Amino acid sequence: MPTLSELIAERKRLRGFSYADLETRAGAVITRQRWQQLGTGVRIKEFPEPATLEAMSKALDADVAEVVLAAARSLGLNVQRGAQSDLAARLPSTSDRLNEVQRDAIVTLVRSITEQSNAVEAEAEPAASGEASEGEKNLDEPQSAAASTFDAITASTGAALLGKSVEQEHDGS
């Protein structure tokens, strides 16, 4: 769970924001100099005002709760986000705008990828004990199976995100 400086550094790196960009995105509620202080780990001495937290959230494209918890951690409070995963915490606040079909498609994609990862890890375990795995017997097979699985998942997820069924996609509808 990141502190405020870690959250700022991560979002700057991922989104390519400069401190001047963050100042603009925050509606000038937080100056470029203050963003730089916060981003480089200058210790905050008191909890930010609600308007400041909201401006940070908007500028960083982060959930307000994530910013609040990061600010609390920066003050030395040992806070956790609860049962929410790190992936869920990283979703932008705009993900609330997704419809049910789109949310289900994303969940299906994540489940498929993690199940595929678990299968690959399980396949690698016999190799660690000295036995040859199916993947070692034919190196092309697992990769092509994973690629075709990923292609199928991507096609159905993409179609669902666009509000189409896979059948419509193939029919040209």
Side-chain angles (χ1 to χ4, degrees), residues 136-149:
E136 290 173 322
K137 294 175 188 171
N138 183 352
L139 293 176
D140 292 334
E141 188 176 315
Q143 291 173 343
S144 61
S148 64
T149 300

Side-chain angles (χ1 to χ4, degrees), residues 102-169:
Q102 293 168 328
R103 286 192 300 268
D104 288 346
I106 291 170
V107 169
T108 300
L109 176 64
V110 171
R111 284 185 180 148
S112 297
I113 291 171
T114 56
E115 288 169 7
Q116 184 72 25
S117 296
N118 291 342
V120 170
E121 288 172 11
E123 206 172 276
E125 286 178 15
S129 65
E131 300 173 24
S133 70
E134 286 298 315
E136 290 173 322
K137 294 175 188 171
N138 183 352
L139 293 176
D140 292 334
E141 188 176 315
Q143 291 173 343
S144 61
S148 64
T149 300
F150 183 76
D151 289 344
I153 293 166
T154 304
S156 63
T157 303
L161 289 172
L162 295 172
K164 299 178 180 178
S165 71
V166 176
E167 292 78 27
Q168 288 175 323
E169 192 76 19

Side-chain angles (χ1 to χ4, degrees), residues 69-103:
L69 292 175
R73 281 186 218 94
S74 295
L75 288 168
L77 297 172
N78 184 14
V79 292
Q80 299 298 319
R81 192 166 177 99
Q84 191 175 38
S85 73
D86 184 47
L87 175 62
R90 290 173 179 234
L91 290 174
S93 59
T94 55
S95 63
D96 290 342
R97 297 181 194 154
L98 298 173
N99 65 39
E100 186 175 350
V101 172
Q102 293 168 328
R103 286 192 300 268

Side-chain angles (χ1 to χ4, degrees), residues 5-69:
S5 64
E6 292 167 340
L7 179 63
I8 292 167
E10 173 189 289
R11 294 302 168 109
K12 280 186 71 223
R13 181 179 49 80
L14 291 175
R15 305 273 196 305
F17 295 146
S18 67
Y19 292 119
D21 293 334
L22 292 173
E23 177 181 28
T24 302
R25 290 176 57 85
V29 171
I30 306 162
T31 66
R32 181 188 59 76
Q33 292 83 3
R34 184 62 178 148
W35 277 113
Q36 187 169 4
Q37 290 173 341
L38 294 169
T40 56
V42 170
R43 186 176 172 273
I44 61 173
K45 297 178 182 160
E46 57 186 48
F47 203 76
E49 294 290 323
T52 303
L53 292 167
E54 287 177 358
M56 286 178 179
S57 170
K58 179 182 174 189
L60 295 170
D61 194 23
D63 184 62
V64 173
E66 184 178 11
V67 175
V68 167
L69 292 175

